[in-house]
Amino acid sequence: MAMRVLTRRQATPGIERAPVGIAVAAGALALIGVFPGIYLVATSLKTEAAAVVLPPTFIPLPGFGLAPTEMPPFTFAPTFEQYQAILDRGFGPFFLRSLIAVVGSSVLVILLAVPCAYALAFRMIEGWRDTLFFFISTKFLPPVGIIMPIYIIMRDLQLLDNITALLIMYTAMNLPIAIWMLRSFYEEIPPDVLQAARVDGAGVWTEMTRVVLPMITPGLTATMFIGLIFAWNEFFFAVSLTATRAATVPIFMVGFITSEGLFWAKFAAAGTMAMLPVVLAGWVAQRQLIRGLSLGAVK
């Protein structure tokens, strides 16, 4: 008897083909969303003169040796000289310091947020709502309103222009959000699972690390990735608390804004190199991110 091979759509009930109009609209929105990134990369492959040409060009056309006036519309001859200029200007140390501050603070955030969110989700005490509100209320005050006391504290601790200051600030900045996110993921765990673990004699540590954490791995990934993005893009604390020895990538990029004007091509090359780690991390963890960000969305 011949076997009928089912497609994924046929084998999975409830999956229907989207209308053509919706698919086209979704594709157009996706293109609009990624176009700034495409244009940034294209600008980084131009000379400074080509970067300010109007109308703008964004399609690289290598290997033809044509003069700029002979190039087809919206095309340009790519070059990597801007990336070489960025590396020659000392991009590496700034990138390394950003990496240390961001990864280190993200690890600290997870180590602190996991037990705190667990306690607020499963070991609730009197006043737990006030505790949650206190955590999120720390995000209400704009950073400019607290920079003066923070600066004085860091000065007295001799942490100005020190990567440790950024580790502390990025951890404090992302911890409230991580606690709220992880607690929402914890609440999606069925109570029966915890009761069964306790019947089997699991203690608090075993329950948290061997029962609960594996069930919220996608949510944990999503929480850590959001913290990485916030810390990687942070500028205000970096420019206020560092000078030269602990300056990060955002501080490096400010150097291209001068009284002589903005070096568009070099700025775009630096922006592309700064954007690349986050894009690669998101691409590697995209499956876990999708599961984590949609955890609990469907009951």
Side-chain angles (χ1 to χ4, degrees):
M1 180 182 297
M3 296 181 63
R4 182 187 176 192
V5 179
L6 299 178
T7 64
R8 183 174 180 269
R9 181 175 288 104
Q10 293 171 330
T12 307
I15 298 181
E16 300 178 358
R17 185 186 298 273
V20 176
I22 295 179
V24 172
L29 288 174
L31 182 60
I32 292 172
V34 301
F35 182 77
I38 295 174
Y39 190 72
L40 179 73
V41 175
T43 305
S44 71
L45 297 173
K46 301 176 184 178
T47 61
E48 289 294 347
V52 296
V53 169
L54 293 176
T57 57
F58 49 86
I59 302 175
L61 195 65
F64 287 88
L66 300 175
T69 56
E70 300 173 339
M71 298 289 288
F74 305 110
T75 63
F76 66 93
T79 176
F80 290 95
E81 65 181 32
Q82 307 303 338
Y83 289 95
Q84 185 61 49
I86 294 299
L87 294 175
D88 292 342
R89 192 165 174 170
F91 178 79
F94 290 86
F95 181 85
L96 181 60
R97 288 191 288 264
S98 283
L99 201 64
I100 294 172
V102 170
V103 175
S105 64
S106 298
V107 171
L108 286 175
V109 165
I110 293 300
L111 290 177
L112 296 173
V114 164
C116 184
Y118 172 85
L120 290 170
F122 303 126
R123 308 280 175 170
M124 292 180 292
I125 60 174
E126 184 179 354
W128 64 272
R129 294 182 185 275
D130 296 332
T131 303
L132 279 174
F133 179 77
F134 169 76
F135 282 130
I136 204 64
S137 67
T138 60
K139 304 298 295 181
F140 296 166
L141 191 65
V144 70
I146 58 174
I147 189 60
M148 184 58 68
I150 289 176
Y151 183 90
I152 294 173
I153 292 172
M154 293 300 177
R155 182 199 63 188
D156 293 343
L157 294 176
Q158 297 183 352
L159 292 178
L160 290 179
D161 202 15
N162 192 310
I163 202 69
T164 305
L166 295 183
L167 280 169
I168 296 172
M169 294 311 304
Y170 292 170
T171 301
M173 178 180 71
N174 290 323
L175 186 59
I177 299 175
I179 291 173
W180 271 73
M181 288 187 65
L182 287 177
R183 184 178 179 276
S184 68
F185 296 138
Y186 280 140
E187 289 182 333
E188 301 300 325
I189 297 176
D192 295 342
V193 174
L194 300 179
Q195 292 175 4
R198 291 165 186 170
V199 168
D200 290 340
V204 174
W205 179 254
T206 301
E207 180 182 307
M208 182 176 64
T209 57
R210 301 185 62 180
V211 178
V212 175
L213 279 185
M215 298 180 68
I216 65 160
T217 299
L220 196 66
T221 303
T223 301
M224 188 169 186
F225 188 73
I226 290 175
L228 282 169
I229 294 175
F230 287 165
W232 187 263
N233 295 331
E234 201 283 323
F235 174 76
F236 184 76
F237 290 126
V239 76
S240 301
L241 302 177
T242 67
T244 55
R245 293 179 300 171
T248 55
V249 169
I251 308 302
F252 176 81
M253 297 183 65
V254 173
F256 296 101
I257 304 175
T258 67
S259 59
E260 301 174 357
L262 180 61
F263 295 91
W264 288 104
K266 291 183 177 62
F267 192 82
T272 301
M273 295 177 71
M275 177 181 67
L276 192 60
V278 178
V279 173
L280 290 177
W283 179 74
V284 171
Q286 59 180 318
R287 183 171 299 179
Q288 295 291 330
L289 284 173
I290 293 172
R291 289 179 57 196
L293 294 174
S294 61
L295 190 64
V298 179
K299 293 289 185 179

